[in-house]
Amino acid sequence: MCSLKTKVFFLIKFNIMSIVLNNYILDNVDIKIFKFTNKNNFKNYFFSPNISIKLYNAKITWVENNNISFSFQKYATIENNVIVKNDNISLLDLLRNINTTLLKVFYDYKENYGHIQNKDLPCLFYEKDTHFYSKCNLPNKNGKYFVKTQDQDFIKPRIGTEYTSVMLDIRNIWEISGKVGFRLELKEIN
C-alpha cells in the first residue's frame, strides 16, 4: 500500500454520494461512455459516472492561460538514511491502471459503434526521467476560475507551489485531426 504522504484516492461521484476507490475496486466499477459529440470534426467521448482523482503532494511545474501542470517525484529522496521525500510509485501505478481501464472503455465504445480507431493513445500523465506530470484545464469564465479552495478565491499559482492535495476531474477523451487526449479539469486545491 502507499505511504501516508502518497495516498491516492480515486473517486466516483454520484449526485450526493462519493465512493473512494482503489485499484481493486477500479477493476469492478462499470465505467461507460455515456455521451458522444462531434462538432466540426472535434469529437468528445464523455465518461459515466463522473470520475475524479485526488492527488497528494502536487507541485506546479507549468502554468499557462487555461492550463496547469503538476509534477510528482517517482522515487523517494533519502538523506542520512532518512526519507526526506516519499516516492509516488503507488500513484504512478494507479494512474497507469486508470489509463488502461479508460482506454479499454474508449476503444470498446469505438468498436461497438463503428468509429475509426486512432493509432495514437491518449494518456493521463507524462513520464520523464525521475518525475511524472499531469496536465489539466483551469475551468473559468470571463477570467473567473471555478476551482474550490479552503477559504479564498482561486488565484493562478506560481511555478514551484506545492499543494497538500488537488482534485482533478477526468472529463472526457477528445479527438481532432488524428490527435487524441484526455481532458482533465482542476476542481479543488488544498
Side-chain angles (χ1 to χ4, degrees):
M1 288 290 143
C2 41
S3 67
L4 199 54
K5 287 189 175 184
T6 60
K7 280 186 184 176
V8 178
F9 296 101
F10 182 83
L11 301 173
I12 299 235
K13 299 184 294 187
F14 296 98
N15 289 335
I16 299 174
M17 185 173 74
S18 294
I19 299 173
V20 178
L21 297 177
N22 57 28
N23 278 325
Y24 171 76
I25 297 171
L26 175 64
D27 293 336
N28 296 301
V29 171
D30 191 22
I31 299 172
K32 296 185 183 286
I33 300 290
F34 84 96
K35 182 179 175 184
F36 166 72
T37 63
N38 184 356
K39 190 171 186 177
N40 298 328
N41 222 16
F42 187 77
K43 300 173 184 173
N44 285 296
Y45 299 83
F46 295 92
F47 296 105
S48 177
N50 294 333
I51 304 167
S52 296
I53 185 165
K54 192 168 190 175
L55 309 172
Y56 290 88
N57 300 320
K59 183 177 181 179
I60 305 291
T61 53
W62 176 75
V63 179
E64 198 175 74
N65 293 337
N66 296 322
N67 298 299
I68 195 166
S69 179
F70 298 101
S71 71
F72 304 90
Q73 183 173 310
K74 286 184 190 178
Y75 310 107
T77 301
I78 301 173
E79 293 177 6
N80 299 326
N81 294 326
V82 176
I83 296 175
V84 176
K85 185 164 183 169
N86 285 329
D87 65 59
N88 289 296
I89 290 298
S90 298
L91 169 58
L92 184 57
D93 286 341
L94 180 61
L95 287 174
R96 286 176 179 151
N97 288 342
I98 294 168
N99 200 76
T100 300
T101 300
L102 294 179
L103 285 178
K104 181 175 178 355
V105 169
F106 174 60
Y107 284 116
D108 286 351
Y109 179 91
K110 288 183 81 167
E111 184 176 310
N112 289 338
Y113 289 93
H115 295 216
I116 298 170
Q117 300 286 1
N118 277 352
K119 62 179 179 175
D120 294 331
L121 299 174
C123 196
L124 290 169
F125 58 94
Y126 168 73
E127 284 184 74
K128 185 174 181 185
D129 302 327
T130 60
H131 288 76
F132 60 97
Y133 306 85
S134 188
K135 178 183 171 189
C136 64
N137 292 21
L138 294 171
N140 74 75
K141 185 173 185 178
N142 299 329
K144 182 179 179 185
Y145 294 97
F146 304 106
V147 177
K148 183 179 175 186
T149 63
Q150 287 183 343
D151 56 0
Q152 59 195 21
D153 289 337
F154 176 79
I155 300 170
K156 262 199 267 187
R158 293 182 177 184
I159 293 174
T161 303
E162 282 195 52
Y163 291 106
T164 305
S165 67
V166 296
M167 180 83 72
L168 306 179
D169 277 359
I170 303 171
R171 306 293 293 167
N172 62 301
I173 293 179
W174 57 265
E175 289 181 328
I176 187 165
S177 304
K179 295 181 181 178
V180 62
F182 280 98
R183 180 170 163 244
L184 303 176
E185 196 170 85
L186 180 61
K187 287 312 227 184
E188 183 178 322
I189 58 169
N190 290 315

